[in-house]
Amino acid sequence: MTQKRRKKTAGRIDWRRQDPNYAREKAKYGHPVPSREFLLQCIKDLGVPTAWQELADRLGMEEEDDREAVRRRLKAMERDGSLLRNRRGGYVPVGKQDLVRGRVTAHPDGFGFLIPDEGGNDLFLSAREMRRVFHGDRLVARVVGEDRRGRREGAVVEVLERNTHRVVGRFFREAGAAFVVPDNKRIVHNLVIPGEEVGEAQPGQIVVADILEQPTLRNPPIGRIVEVLGDHMAPGMEIDVAARSYELPCEWPEAVEEEISGLGAKVTPAAKRGREDLRELPLVTIDGADSRDFDDAVYCEAKPKGWRLLVAIADVAHYVQPGTALDQEAINRGNSVYFPERVIPMLPEVLSNGLCSINPGVDRLCMVADMYINQEGKLLRSRFFEGLMRSHARLTYDEVAAMLLERDPATRKRHAHVVPHVEELHRLYQVLRKARLKRGAIDFDTTETRIVFGDERKIDRIVPVERNDAHKLIEECMISANVAAARFLSRHKMPALYRVHDGPKSEKIEDLHTFLGELGLKLRGGDKPQAQDYARLLESIQDRPDAHLIQTVLLRSMSQAVYTPDNAGHFGLALDQYAHFTSPIRRYPDLLVHRAIRHVLRNSKRKKAQAFSYSHTDMQKFGEQCSMTERRADEATRDAEDWLKCEFMMDKVGEVYDGIISSVTSFGIFVELRDIFVEGLVHITALKNDYYHFEAHGHRLIGERTHKIYRLGDAIRVKVVRVDLDERKIDFELAEAAPEAPAAPAEKKRKRRRGGRKRGGHSSQRNKKRSTS
């Protein structure tokens, strides 16, 4: 053997024997290559940046196809952010050299934060670093130190994935330069449009522009106008703008249209075979009067020591197979997006309103959670099976309330064949409700609203949505099914997505204890309170005049719920295990849960987890994607609603309203108008005759000289002075001299006198409520 040959073969690894994931790779691919985990460990073991050729040599890859497969896998790992390639072509594991990978969250004021994939504290990105990236980009950054506020500060090393490829905004032409100002305020770059790329756009119009060149440290992004949406105030423009601003997929790809072209309106005989037949069981759907898709049905019967509850969910997994164009588009969308009077569905209408909608009197495929619940509301046992059902009634919440609470004779007569079962559901609900209170689930008394439109899609009014026992009954049934699904998946050790709601972060708890202490209240549990501690405090303040204030502060201390394969429980519901099972028509995580359950049902015990199509790593990626699309949908719908509310208030400038302070910041107070449910800002500069200091822990502004306090939850009277549709902002000012407010404690007065004058800062973002479900 020559010296060159000896050097090349020295230290070679028999990767087929040493790779613990070889069996998985072989099952997936006819010609397996080393797994990602093994490649990453090899590079870590070598301890130096390693070129792909060197790694291929070490693994004994001599065939050109094998070497190319390793190179492609390393490139994919580079795109994912698992590896970083230096200028000499050597791969380095991210995590070395103080490198952090994650996704960018931009602030309208120009700076941003990198949210690490691995968790931990965010990395601050200065306005200069943000010049080269957009909100939502994935990148690797290097920790370069701390800023003057003590936050870890980062510098962009490499952009892994661009999130923004198209923007929507107003087109302008000034001093010979053409540009688009993005409607999404988290996109702080104006898009430069070369003269030949302007098309038919006229100044002031709303346009859509593709990004031709992404921003760099020195150059702004460059784009091309591809669509003119129309004039600024055209009816329905708010949804078109929001959908395009947040890049919500609205059109079905041609490949999807081809896949669904063969689907009919009825379930085929072949699809019905091998399923438990539930068509004679009086399952019913209970939804809103304006609902168009029905993906869950329920049935309840009394047993000697409790109840049998069936929750039947449309079997979306039968129609949406992994790896298809339909499945890929469902992943891209992540969830259906519900705008006022318009829906962008996750699945095409032939499924969402057809084969997967449990319409009354027609055969439907379903996945069923069959549960036995005792008289204390405890889920004793459950099983899952693939079923064939037929809904016996399409009930609305109002009809069920009339049937159960008002005992309306006409409604009960119309649905006489299902009344006994619905009454049994109500009896079960009352037991489940007691069990919910006993375990300490948190119930915040928040007001949901609905926009009512008049002519030309203009807001006529905004009305509160009242929840009755029918809403809560269905909610408890769905929670029970979700718990049963989480237990089933955990018991069978299946990779899956769980709906996880962490407890509040320590810094939030510290501020909360300070706030409650000033009111003479205490939250039990110390630094780690449990849901029961929140629930007890909420119950104890019900009769207090400041109950709304306290509840709001408690709600804002909560974390946001996410999708993750790590089953850490749901804090708000006080549950150890929780997964979303009940809406696969409109949420991709539910579809993944159905696939995992189906895999267990159809495979022997020995092959359950090992032969499943997805790994824990796959589920981590799905969790990140679905959490992102959920946030994207929330932001898009909020943006459209803010547009509509601004439009609604444009002819009300100068009018005076009563309101409630809904948020307090360093730059002013947000006020929600009573009975109108529209929010605007009284800027700190509009609080005249004094300098005001912001106390974050007390959620208040305090006057330096007058000691007047503007506090979260206070009643206030304001006048509308400005409405800006472009910025989605409504400005108020105090309508009259504010009533004498309570003074601050004496010790704090002395401290402020010694502290000198200080003006409040300005920002364009208000605090956001956190979703806990």
Side-chain angles (χ1 to χ4, degrees), residues 73-141:
R73 176 150 285 186
L74 290 171
K75 288 290 289 183
M77 294 171 69
E78 183 185 355
R79 287 194 301 271
D80 291 346
S82 303
L83 295 173
L84 185 67
R85 190 170 56 164
N86 65 20
R87 294 182 181 180
R88 295 184 178 182
Y91 283 101
V92 182
V94 170
K96 302 287 187 184
Q97 306 175 357
D98 288 325
L99 298 177
V100 180
R101 64 179 177 182
R103 194 172 292 276
V104 174
T105 294
H107 190 281
D109 288 348
F111 59 87
F113 295 91
L114 184 69
I115 314 301
D117 289 346
E118 308 301 325
N121 294 330
D122 299 345
L123 198 63
F124 176 75
L125 299 174
S126 67
R128 183 177 186 277
E129 293 297 322
M130 289 294 293
R131 287 180 196 170
R132 66 182 86 180
V133 296
F134 280 114
H135 172 72
D137 285 352
R138 288 194 73 245
L139 55 87
V140 175

Side-chain angles (χ1 to χ4, degrees), residues 230-500:
D231 295 328
H232 192 212
M233 299 282 288
M237 183 63 69
E238 72 286 343
I239 294 178
D240 290 333
V241 168
R244 288 166 174 80
S245 289
Y246 293 91
E247 297 192 7
L248 300 175
C250 297
E251 303 295 328
W252 298 108
E254 192 173 317
V256 172
E257 297 283 8
E258 289 178 6
E259 283 184 0
I260 64 175
S261 61
L263 295 176
K266 295 181 179 180
V267 179
T268 63
K272 297 178 184 180
R273 286 196 287 269
R275 292 173 173 264
E276 288 194 34
D277 194 336
L278 304 176
R279 285 177 289 185
E280 298 304 315
L281 203 67
L283 285 148
V284 298
T285 61
I286 304 175
D287 295 275
D290 55 353
S291 295
R292 295 178 59 197
D293 54 345
F294 317 108
D295 54 357
D296 56 76
V298 291
Y299 166 79
C300 183
E301 64 176 278
K303 293 292 184 181
K305 295 183 180 180
W307 290 267
R308 181 194 183 200
L309 171 65
L310 268 68
V311 174
I313 306 299
D315 192 356
V316 178
H318 174 83
Y319 299 100
V320 184
Q321 295 292 323
T324 60
L326 181 58
D327 183 46
Q328 186 56 52
E329 184 63 14
I331 294 171
N332 292 339
R333 298 187 177 214
N335 46 260
S336 299
V337 185
Y338 292 86
F339 290 103
E341 293 195 344
R342 180 177 163 189
V343 179
I344 299 177
M346 187 181 80
L347 299 174
E349 190 170 345
V350 67
L351 294 175
S352 60
N353 297 130
L355 287 168
C356 294
S357 184
I358 304 176
N359 302 315
V362 295
D363 290 355
R364 288 291 180 256
L365 307 182
C366 58
M367 181 71 77
V368 183
D370 187 351
M371 296 163 280
Y372 188 87
I373 300 170
N374 70 10
Q375 293 174 344
E376 285 72 48
K378 183 179 181 180
L379 177 60
L380 294 182
R381 61 180 180 271
S382 61
R383 72 181 182 104
F384 288 84
F385 61 87
E386 298 171 79
L388 175 65
M389 66 160 292
R390 184 177 294 169
S391 171
H392 285 233
R394 181 270 198 264
L395 304 176
T396 68
Y397 293 123
D398 290 340
E399 284 178 319
V400 172
M403 190 188 305
L404 297 175
L405 307 179
E406 300 163 21
R407 313 292 293 182
D408 178 63
T411 306
R412 291 175 67 84
K413 183 178 180 180
R414 187 164 61 251
H415 299 294
H417 60 300
V418 296
V419 166
H421 308 290
V422 175
E423 287 182 329
E424 212 59 61
L425 271 170
H426 192 235
R427 279 189 279 271
L428 172 59
Y429 155 70
Q430 291 170 324
V431 170
L432 291 173
R433 185 73 184 172
K434 288 179 182 177
R436 177 192 183 104
L437 295 174
K438 185 177 180 180
R439 72 172 184 267
I442 305 171
D443 274 329
F444 288 111
D445 184 20
T446 56
T447 302
E448 296 181 15
T449 59
R450 181 171 61 90
I451 294 174
V452 179
F453 290 97
D455 296 334
E456 296 185 354
R457 199 179 158 75
K458 303 299 180 184
I459 293 184
D460 181 56
R461 63 190 186 279
I462 302 170
V463 297
V465 176
E466 294 185 10
R467 280 167 48 85
N468 55 40
D469 270 14
H471 294 84
K472 298 173 184 177
L473 180 156
I474 287 297
E475 180 181 308
E476 289 298 330
C477 290
M478 298 304 112
I479 288 173
S480 296
N482 289 339
V483 170
R487 290 183 183 179
F488 182 88
L489 295 171
S490 179
R491 185 166 65 248
H492 291 283
K493 298 180 173 56
M494 291 295 296
L497 281 185
Y498 295 91
R499 183 63 167 176
V500 170

